Amino acid sequence: MTDLVVVGSGFFGLTVAEQMAGQGRKVLVIDRRDHIGGNAYSEADPATGIEVHRYGAHLFHTSNERVWEYVNRFTTFTSYVHRVYTTHRGEVFPMPINLGTINQFFRSAHGPDAARALVREQAAELDGRKPQNLDEQGVSLIGRPLYEAFIQGYTAKQWQTDPRELPASIIARLPVRYTYDNRYFNDTHEGLPTDGYTAWLERMADHPNIEVRLATDFFDPSQPVHKDAVVGQVPVVYTGPVDRYFDDAEGSLSWRTLDFEREVLPVGDFQGAPVMNYADTEVPYTRILEFRHFHPERDYPDDRTVIVREYSRFAERADEPYYPVNTSEDRERLTRYRDLMKGEQDVHFGGRLGTYQYLDMHMAIGSALSMVDNKLTP
Ligand code: FDA
């Protein structure tokens, strides 16, 4: 007897399953992939043993105390602190844009006030006119020189589109730090799971009341547990794409996807940092990840390293959906899908695909905990 079917074994689905199982409910988790964990899944690279995040770099960070306490039940965290660098015209700069970036770029030694005044002056170029596109928006936020060096080319590659053709609304703000602090996240807690993401995710699913069935698609009628067989019979938490659930009845929602090109190199250290962005359009990829640097405390080989080049583009139907594009058309469609959701009896939509929004891991976990409190066990 199953009390709840959870579609998707990512952080959202597993948090719901773990919480409900802890309250004595029998939970069946299905996933169409052949592994658990959704996009946070990681694996040891076979040639080197270096842990690779298969679906892109995953850094855990949160200021939510409830989530922090919850995740610490399943894993400890290393003291890793995320820092990113960017290469522009053959020179490496610290990111996000900070006093170090500004002084290196302008060959200056400004203090915080002088740097602030410089950026303000350069950002005044539009003279109060409302930005008409992403290019103008960028200039109005941080001035043309910094925008063109660090944001314009990178954004063009992310969207495969000239930023003059993109809406201003894509960038609401571009944080500039007037200190030398180049810590990437501002959260209270940050770190990487000591023995990897997959060990963490497996511990969440390790409960006598949880059964996980992999390689099982909710829309495959040949499977015993599929949409038509369970909806209306058993409560369902659905964390797959919302448009797919309704057979694209209101049209498809648009996503960006990423292509990852993995390579093992015969060197102990390729770039000296976990993430190097490439700001210029002449380089086709957006960044290179070097996974050994996520775990400097581990005993990895000193003569080989794993790098992954990341390319970004609009997703086609068969691609993995990664980041919602969120055009005004998408938002209208989403509103119509939300109306359809209300008509589904005992089906709860959650997670990044089920709600069509970018969620960090701590947000997915936090929102799953709220769903359990407010909807599943009110
Ligand atoms: P998730 O996508 O993980 O899981 C959904 C699951 O549903 C998948 O396993 C899928 O196979 C399954 N599914 C879909 N359709 C199905 C069907 N029809 N039948 C059965 N199963 C189905 N966050 C963060 O905090 N720090 C970071 O550094 C990053 N980095 C990052 C990089 C990239 C490239 C991306 C795309 C995302 C991140 N994230 C992140 C976000 C993180 O990946 C996200 O928070 C979690 O994946 C959300 O978990 P969900 O369970 O919502 O979705």
Side-chain angles (χ1 to χ4, degrees):
M1 222 326 252
T2 298
D3 299 315
L4 176 69
V5 170
V6 173
V7 182
S9 65
F11 268 119
F12 193 97
L14 287 184
T15 302
V16 167
E18 189 279 332
Q19 288 285 288
M20 296 299 283
Q23 300 185 30
R25 318 289 173 93
K26 296 272 182 211
V27 185
L28 174 64
V29 180
I30 64 165
D31 203 297
R32 66 187 176 87
R33 290 178 177 162
D34 62 2
H35 61 76
I36 67 162
N39 283 358
Y41 174 77
S42 69
E43 61 202 338
D45 169 69
T48 60
I50 294 171
E51 182 183 347
V52 173
H53 306 164
R54 192 191 279 185
Y55 303 95
H58 276 69
L59 299 317
F60 190 81
H61 56 97
T62 188
S63 296
N64 181 326
E65 292 302 331
R66 185 183 182 200
V67 168
W68 182 241
E69 207 176 292
Y70 179 68
V71 299
N72 274 274
R73 285 178 41 203
F74 309 101
T75 180
T76 53
F77 288 86
T78 66
S79 55
Y80 177 84
V81 172
H82 195 45
R83 291 197 163 81
V84 172
Y85 295 85
T86 194
T87 298
H88 166 60
R89 296 209 180 133
E91 200 175 334
V92 175
F93 297 84
M95 284 276 116
I97 298 173
N98 61 70
L99 206 45
T101 323
I102 292 170
N103 278 330
Q104 184 182 344
F105 184 74
F106 291 110
R107 300 268 188 269
S108 56
H110 294 311
D113 287 345
R116 227 179 246 116
L118 175 73
V119 170
R120 202 180 306 123
E121 184 196 315
Q122 293 180 341
E125 186 185 312
L126 260 61
D127 209 13
R129 189 165 57 77
K130 195 168 178 285
Q132 296 302 307
N133 55 51
L134 192 148
D135 219 50
E136 293 189 353
Q137 173 81 338
V139 171
S140 78
L141 290 170
I142 58 170
R144 186 171 294 279
L146 291 172
Y147 167 73
E148 287 186 349
F150 299 114
I151 311 294
Q152 189 183 49
Y154 195 81
T155 309
K157 288 195 285 190
Q158 274 184 315
W159 294 92
Q160 300 272 289
T161 306
D162 184 328
R164 284 171 298 193
E165 313 281 314
L166 290 166
S169 59
I170 288 181
I171 302 184
R173 46 190 286 276
L174 285 171
V176 175
R177 290 193 195 146
Y178 294 98
T179 67
Y180 288 93
D181 177 13
N182 74 325
R183 206 179 148 153
Y184 199 78
F185 299 116
N186 293 316
D187 280 317
T188 324
H189 307 289
E190 176 176 357
L192 288 170
T194 311
D195 37 28
Y197 279 98
T198 297
W200 169 8
L201 292 151
E202 279 169 352
R203 273 179 223 130
M204 291 179 76
D206 182 18
H207 192 289
N209 288 340
I210 299 179
E211 183 194 340
V212 180
R213 275 188 217 161
L214 300 174
T216 302
D217 192 319
F218 192 51
F219 303 109
D220 177 356
S222 72
Q223 301 283 349
V225 178
H226 68 270
K227 184 182 170 196
D228 296 335
V230 297
V231 171
Q233 310 296 317
V234 187
V236 173
V237 169
Y238 175 80
T239 74
V242 51
D243 47 3
R244 178 76 187 81
Y245 181 94
F246 293 106
D247 247 336
D248 290 322
E250 300 294 343
S252 317
L253 297 165
S254 51
W255 293 84
R256 274 195 303 124
T257 192
L258 299 174
D259 296 314
F260 300 109
E261 198 180 271
R262 196 192 292 189
E263 198 180 345
V264 176
L265 299 176
V267 294
D269 192 350
F270 171 71
Q271 62 184 15
V275 180
M276 179 66 69
N277 289 354
Y278 285 84
D280 305 331
T281 47
E282 294 75 34
V283 179
Y285 38 86
T286 48
R287 53 185 185 167
I288 296 183
L289 315 174
E290 186 175 11
F291 279 96
R292 67 180 308 119
H293 292 294
F294 288 127
H295 288 282
E297 79 286 0
R298 288 188 187 165
D299 194 15
Y300 284 148
D302 55 14
D303 58 349
R304 279 162 299 157
T305 194
V306 181
I307 64 162
V308 171
R309 293 185 186 84
E310 203 173 287
Y311 301 79
S312 172
R313 60 183 170 80
F314 283 99
E316 308 280 332
R317 177 134 190 116
D319 293 321
E320 288 292 345
Y322 282 136
Y323 300 104
V325 175
N326 222 351
T327 60
S328 52
E329 202 178 21
D330 286 322
R331 286 194 290 273
E332 282 163 25
R333 283 184 179 154
L334 183 62
T335 307
R336 295 200 294 274
Y337 280 122
R338 286 198 180 124
D339 288 339
L340 290 177
M341 287 180 204
K342 287 182 203 140
E344 284 304 281
Q345 207 200 337
D346 235 353
V347 180
H348 307 276
F349 295 80
R352 55 176 206 102
L353 299 166
T355 57
Y356 188 65
Q357 54 180 327
Y358 178 80
L359 296 176
D360 271 327
M361 292 176 278
H362 67 105
M363 297 156 89
I365 293 165
S367 102
L369 292 172
S370 304
M371 180 185 273
V372 172
D373 291 349
N374 303 328
K375 292 193 180 155
L376 301 175
T377 56

